[in-house]
Amino acid sequence: MPADNPTPPGAGNQHTGAHVPADEGIGSAGTASGGTPPPPPHGPTDGPWATFAPPPRRRRRGGLVAAVALATLIAGGIGGGAGYLLADNAGNDRATSTVNSSNGSGVQERSPESVAGIAEAALPSVVTIQAEGDREGGTGTGFVYDEEGHILTNNHVVESASQGGRLTVTFSDGESYEAELVGGAQGYDIAVLRLVDPGDRDLQPLPVGNSDDVVVGDTTVAIGAPYGLSGTVTTGIVSAKNRPVASSDGMGGRSSYMSALQTDASINPGNSGGPLLDAEGAVIGVNSAIQSNSSAPGQQAGSVGLGFAIPVNQAVRVAKDLIESGEPVYAVIGVSVGMTETSSGGAQISTEGDGQNDAVTPGGPADEAGLRPGDSIVKFGDRVIDSGPTLISEIWTYEPGDTVELTYVRDGNEQTTEITLDSRVGDQE
């Protein structure tokens, strides 16, 4: 199992411009010291955070697919602007409840608008994914994206099988199919699979909602395979929006970033990649991370009512890129920022480059917008920025070519400018 804590503060900066390694950046990457970047640094401990990746099917070399790990609540703010969460990938006015998806004979019909009705309609389109690599294997969740046999899930669910491993997709009726990886986006934590030979199976894509229209208090329904229990249905509400979350596998891997939907629906290891539905049965998010109730390494994570989902609008945009080209596309602004909070707040642009990249990329979006080394970015669009990971999470909600209003502080003076985002293609090594 991975260690309790990620790399401590001061472990390096993240670069946000083009032409740098993708494992370290806001759109592109590069730590000050070079090489594989550490996870975002520690803040005040508010409780353990864990992957809610699937429980392992087999263990070798002491590792797991999307291994359960621990992390910490960082700069815990309320709502969408203040504070980001560091979580490990894995993994309403009524109480959260669990619905058994197995219908016995003689079960009475339920209204399509009820949780039971939503579950009945959605379950045939939700799948359990087995990923097997040379040294690791695990189980997660996914759902039917289109009639061509594409399945949407988390990247960390299938990453162990990305180098020639085996992927198996099992539907709620018990039928299993071989699948292949179309493409994965490590930074977004989204991946797309395709059924190799679906035969005459009637594929029913889940309807897609609009995550921009979600409000706090809306009903949520989560479906997945927690601890390998396929077809588990739980309910709750959207308990927060635009929650900045940084997640990693807890084993020194690169981090993923999301401006997440937070829900109190009970989701656990194995729910990763499964759909978060609204009261109409439409997908509003892809379940990706939870706060763990585990307090020590080696203990399995579990739900404490704080789950995080990638908004479906972002997930669909990434999925389209992966289906079209097999590669994700990231928005970039062309700066290196520190990954800790600064005394003045915001995401502070480095005062020096990292040896391979300038602090502000010459001719890049930030340079053209007038930003300089040492500036602190305190607002991006309508989001308050308090740290580097929060800035990354927010930038990646936009598309390359978008023009966004940005507020920064220089020498104690706050200034506002507009910045047009550039792009980076692929998760570069």
Side-chain angles (χ1 to χ4, degrees):
M1 300 297 294
D4 265 317
N5 300 320
T7 304
N13 298 331
Q14 300 283 326
H15 192 272
T16 71
H19 312 302
V20 289
D23 54 347
E24 304 174 37
I26 292 178
S28 44
T31 57
S33 58
T36 302
H42 247 354
T45 298
D46 227 4
W49 287 79
T51 127
F52 84 49
R57 294 184 62 218
R58 35 176 199 165
R59 180 185 300 216
R60 300 180 183 175
R61 237 188 6 154
L64 310 177
V65 160
V68 174
L70 301 179
T72 316
L73 176 64
I74 304 294
I78 303 226
Y84 74 91
L85 307 177
L86 176 58
D88 292 312
N89 274 346
N92 61 21
D93 53 0
R94 61 174 181 260
T96 298
S97 60
T98 301
V99 179
N100 186 351
S101 65
S102 300
N103 294 324
S105 60
V107 174
Q108 296 181 357
E109 292 186 0
R110 297 290 188 265
S111 165
E113 290 78 27
S114 67
V115 173
I118 292 170
E120 182 180 11
L123 278 165
S125 302
V126 179
V127 300
T128 300
I129 299 171
Q130 288 81 36
E132 298 183 14
D134 289 340
R135 291 168 292 187
E136 300 171 338
T139 304
T141 305
F143 59 92
V144 177
Y145 177 71
D146 59 26
E147 294 179 350
E148 284 67 53
H150 290 112
I151 305 294
L152 189 58
T153 186
N154 283 148
N155 183 71
H156 74 262
V157 168
V158 300
E159 193 166 20
S160 66
S162 62
Q163 302 297 322
R166 181 183 179 188
L167 292 166
T168 305
V169 168
T170 303
F171 285 82
S172 60
D173 60 4
E175 291 293 327
S176 295
Y177 300 84
E178 182 182 353
E180 60 185 1
L181 181 63
V182 174
Q186 185 277 327
Y188 293 121
D189 198 17
I190 290 291
V192 175
L193 314 182
R194 180 172 50 228
L195 302 181
V196 173
D197 182 13
D200 58 357
R201 184 172 191 93
D202 181 20
L203 296 173
Q204 304 173 33
L206 285 181
V208 174
N210 185 347
S211 51
D212 289 342
D213 291 342
V214 171
V215 299
V216 173
D218 280 352
T219 296
T220 58
V221 178
I223 304 180
Y227 298 103
L229 300 173
S230 299
T232 297
V233 180
T234 58
T235 66
I237 62 167
V238 174
S239 50
K241 289 185 63 176
N242 306 118
R243 183 73 77 192
V245 175
S247 59
S248 73
D249 61 9
M251 301 173 70
R254 295 168 292 166
S255 293
S256 301
Y257 300 89
M258 69 184 96
S259 184
L261 296 176
Q262 179 179 307
T263 181
D264 66 350
S266 180
I267 48 181
N268 287 282
N271 276 103
S272 283
L276 185 69
L277 308 173
D278 63 14
E280 305 299 320
V283 182
I284 56 173
V286 180
N287 298 318
S288 299
I290 60 169
Q291 180 179 15
S292 171
N293 62 357
S294 173
S295 59
Q299 294 183 1
Q300 184 70 287
S303 173
V304 294
L306 290 170
F308 304 95
I310 301 163
V312 74
N313 290 12
Q314 182 179 33
V316 166
R317 172 168 55 84
V318 176
K320 288 179 178 177
D321 288 335
L322 294 175
I323 292 171
E324 180 178 333
S325 68
E327 295 279 2
V329 179
Y330 296 90
V332 300
I333 65 172
V335 298
S336 291
V337 296
M339 297 303 287
T340 60
E341 290 183 279
T342 65
S343 58
S344 59
Q348 187 172 34
I349 300 175
S350 305
T351 55
E352 299 179 357
D354 61 8
Q356 296 179 336
N357 306 285
D358 295 310
V360 178
T361 303
D367 184 34
E368 293 184 353
L371 291 168
R372 298 291 180 264
D375 291 345
S376 289
I377 299 171
V378 296
K379 196 171 183 182
F380 193 85
D382 59 357
R383 297 287 171 228
V384 174
I385 302 299
D386 68 343
S387 62
T390 300
L391 178 62
I392 300 172
S393 300
E394 191 57 30
I395 288 174
W396 284 357
T397 66
Y398 291 86
E399 297 185 54
D402 287 346
T403 298
V404 185
E405 187 173 85
L406 178 150
T407 302
Y408 62 97
V409 174
R410 179 185 298 165
D411 299 327
N413 298 314
E414 192 170 282
Q415 303 181 54
T416 299
T417 185
E418 286 191 339
I419 188 167
T420 300
L421 306 181
D422 203 349
S423 65
R424 184 203 81 206
V425 177
D427 284 314
Q428 301 163 356
E429 296 299 332

